[in-house]
Amino acid sequence: MMRHFGLLTCLAAGHCLFASSAFATPVALTHARLIDGTGADVRPDITLVIDHGQIVSIGPSPDPGVRTIDLQGRTVMPALISDHSHVGLVDGMTTASRNYTRAIILAALEQYRRYGVLTVTALGLNKSPLFDQLRREQHQGVNPGADLFGVDQGIGAPGGMPPEAMVEKMGHDQIFRPHTPQEARQAVDRMADEGTDFVKIWLDDLHLTNPAKPPLPLLGAAVWQAAIAEAHKRHLRVAVHIHDLDLAHQALAHGADILAHGVRDKPVDAALVTQLKNAGAWYIATLSLDESTYYFAEHPETLDQSVARDAMSPALRETVADESWRKTTLTKSSVAAARAALAMNQRNVLALYRSGVHIGFGTDSGATPLRLPGFAEHRELILLVQAGLTPLQAINLATQKAAALLGLQDRGVLAVGKRADLLVIDGAPDRTISDIDLISQVWQRGTPVSDGLVPKGKTP
């Protein structure tokens, strides 16, 4: 049976969003190509009227006297939504607990917004009370940048995932590492008391991701099963970090609500489809996660492409420009594993999509220096299309379906009464998905907040 646990109910209903920054008078975006986010065909020459942060009409022409903005030849579509990202972990080429600061997080949320990602779910490794305060502020539109949801600390194995070496001895202020079922229940209760949107549990041992290294300790089954049970008792859904099919089966059998990564070791089977459907559980493939480990080493020409270069820190640009770094990266055994994982992940997400499973949208962006906020989401769309989805199907996952996973009813589609979070594209991403890079305007809560990625006065 599908579980319907609440996620900030007032937000889902759209009743507690602030619209103080929205235009005070109506504005009509005219002569646009409209992608509504539902997967439906593009509608040409459409007028979309926005008033006080909401879409109030969609039709052939505006009422007389309404301010108009002519978008002839351009495409309007819903803003992107991430169901799996991270904030406050990366600064330059470092991934460390010390990077969890207000300034670094807000800078990332602004970058997400510039790339058209207006809702971000930070799925674990967060610090309270800063994370909880920033979520409230972003819900209210206090700061520039994407709206923010997510998991507070999350639960991992002592000495296991996520690797402490990666985050420089991350402590209990950023992740819980319970040894017993009782400690797991206490961790869940603390996150619930802090107001977390989900509970995140890491089940993987990293061995299949990096076979050259010994596997990390696993979280005991009794421990993580107690965490899931306690989360459900507190009316919270549980997202689990998995890599392989066996773990996916185990997690779903014991009540997991979201598979936070795709299955990458073998083809998914009919049993998994049945489990996902019977539970009403969600699947997030995060295709670009594996690709990111080698993409920039393989494609140094990205330094000549503003859409990639502008998403990079100066330290990363310098690293990508280093030929020795590129050669060393591409000879690692983990790269061969990542290529195989990506190919299997793409095969599996297509199979699950065709089977009618609930599929969300996420990338794990912000977890490492190579998973660039915003750019990773654009790559994810491209990889979904390469996997066999149509561009409109991929966009549907990144908009309407991603919003549905979060329980948000006020965004993700362009329809009357919905929040006016939208993108203006100088291209046709329904035909060529890479045109998502040609964002010329970003509108958030009915207000143009960014010039996007296409410089003013230039033809893409």
Side-chain angles (χ1 to χ4, degrees):
M1 178 177 291
M2 182 180 293
R3 287 176 286 270
H4 296 279
F5 295 149
L7 172 62
L8 298 177
T9 304
C10 63
L11 280 166
H15 295 151
C16 60
L17 292 173
F18 286 33
S20 59
S21 61
F23 282 170
T25 56
V27 60
L29 309 181
T30 63
H31 304 299
R33 304 175 71 254
L34 184 77
I35 297 174
D36 67 7
T38 67
D41 290 341
V42 173
R43 296 166 60 186
D45 197 22
I46 290 297
T47 292
L48 185 148
V49 180
I50 299 167
D51 192 11
H52 288 87
Q54 288 190 323
I55 299 168
V56 296
S57 73
I58 298 176
S61 59
D63 294 333
V66 174
R67 176 189 170 191
T68 62
I69 298 175
D70 190 350
L71 297 182
Q72 182 72 45
R74 295 179 176 182
T75 302
V76 175
M77 62 173 279
L80 305 180
I81 295 170
S82 170
D83 293 323
H84 188 167
S85 297
H86 292 277
V87 296
L89 302 183
V90 173
D91 183 27
M93 290 300 291
T94 68
T95 304
S97 180
R98 67 174 181 271
N99 297 332
Y100 206 89
T101 68
R102 169 179 284 269
I104 287 175
I105 293 170
L106 289 179
L109 294 177
E110 287 194 70
Q111 179 161 309
Y112 278 116
R113 186 174 75 173
R114 187 159 50 88
Y115 281 75
V117 185
L118 292 191
T119 302
V120 170
T121 310
L123 212 56
L125 302 175
N126 295 301
K127 292 185 180 182
S128 295
L130 176 56
F131 180 65
D132 307 303
Q133 179 61 36
L134 284 174
R135 274 186 302 166
R136 289 190 291 269
E137 292 177 10
Q138 296 312 109
H139 294 337
Q140 296 167 3
V142 171
N143 310 304
D147 199 358
L148 182 62
F149 295 86
V151 173
D152 276 24
Q153 294 87 353
I155 294 173
M161 283 287 288
E164 293 192 15
M166 183 185 78
V167 290
E168 294 185 9
K169 299 184 183 296
M170 188 172 292
H172 275 193
D173 62 342
Q174 212 157 347
I175 185 171
F176 295 113
R177 297 193 185 272
H179 293 81
T180 67
Q182 179 59 22
E183 288 180 357
R185 287 188 284 268
Q186 290 171 348
V188 169
D189 287 341
R190 177 169 167 183
M191 286 186 280
D193 291 342
E194 291 168 346
T196 189
D197 295 321
F198 302 96
V199 169
K200 167 78 173 287
I201 305 175
W202 282 263
L203 298 183
D204 185 29
D205 62 8
L206 205 62
H207 180 58
L208 292 175
T209 301
N210 194 347
K213 294 185 178 181
L216 295 172
L218 287 171
L219 196 60
V223 176
W224 63 260
Q225 290 167 22
I228 292 177
E230 187 68 13
H232 290 170
K233 181 179 177 182
R234 298 297 302 266
H235 305 292
L236 290 167
R237 290 184 294 165
V238 179
V240 294
H241 174 112
I242 56 96
H243 180 286
D244 60 271
L245 182 61
D246 289 344
L247 269 181
H249 280 308
Q250 292 177 46
L252 291 168
H254 291 280
D257 304 284
I258 301 165
L259 297 182
H261 295 287
V263 171
R264 288 163 279 167
D265 67 327
K266 62 183 71 171
V268 294
D269 53 20
L272 188 75
V273 172
T274 299
Q275 284 182 298
L276 286 163
K277 285 187 168 183
N278 286 348
W282 287 83
Y283 184 94
I284 308 173
T286 63
L287 300 171
S288 61
L289 178 156
D290 288 297
E291 186 198 50
S292 70
T293 62
Y294 59 84
Y295 182 79
F296 295 113
E298 193 172 71
H299 296 282
E301 70 275 9
T302 54
L303 291 173
D304 300 322
Q305 301 165 1
S306 62
V307 69
R309 184 182 64 249
D310 292 351
M312 298 179 182
S313 67
L316 179 56
R317 290 184 208 130
E318 183 178 347
T319 299
V320 173
D322 184 349
E323 184 178 358
S324 64
W325 173 82
R326 299 197 303 270
K327 287 182 177 179
T328 299
T329 297
L330 293 175
T331 59
K332 292 179 179 178
S333 61
S334 58
V335 167
R339 293 184 194 278
L342 173 58
M344 184 59 69
N345 205 354
Q346 288 180 303
R347 172 179 174 173
N348 285 339
V349 74
L350 179 62
L352 293 174
Y353 182 87
R354 289 175 172 172
S355 297
V357 166
H358 291 315
I359 298 177
F361 182 81
T363 63
D364 213 17
S365 56
T368 75
L370 297 174
R371 300 177 199 165
L372 306 181
F375 180 82
E377 284 67 32
H378 289 207
R379 285 298 307 166
E380 190 78 12
L381 286 169
I382 291 168
L383 292 170
L384 285 167
V385 172
Q386 290 177 357
L389 276 70
T390 70
L392 284 173
Q393 288 170 341
I395 290 169
N396 171 243
L397 296 190
T399 56
Q400 184 184 45
K401 294 296 172 55
L405 184 151
L406 294 173
L408 299 175
Q409 302 170 17
D410 64 339
R411 68 195 79 179
V413 296
L414 299 185
V416 173
K418 301 297 185 181
R419 174 166 154 165
D421 280 3
L422 56 88
L423 312 178
V424 178
I425 312 289
D426 288 356
D430 54 296
R431 295 195 290 255
T432 305
I433 193 60
S434 59
D435 279 5
I436 192 65
D437 292 344
L438 305 180
I439 298 172
S440 61
Q441 298 174 32
V442 177
W443 289 64
Q444 186 176 32
R445 297 186 178 93
T447 298
V449 293
S450 171
D451 291 331
L453 306 176
V454 178
K456 283 185 176 181
K458 291 190 178 181
T459 301

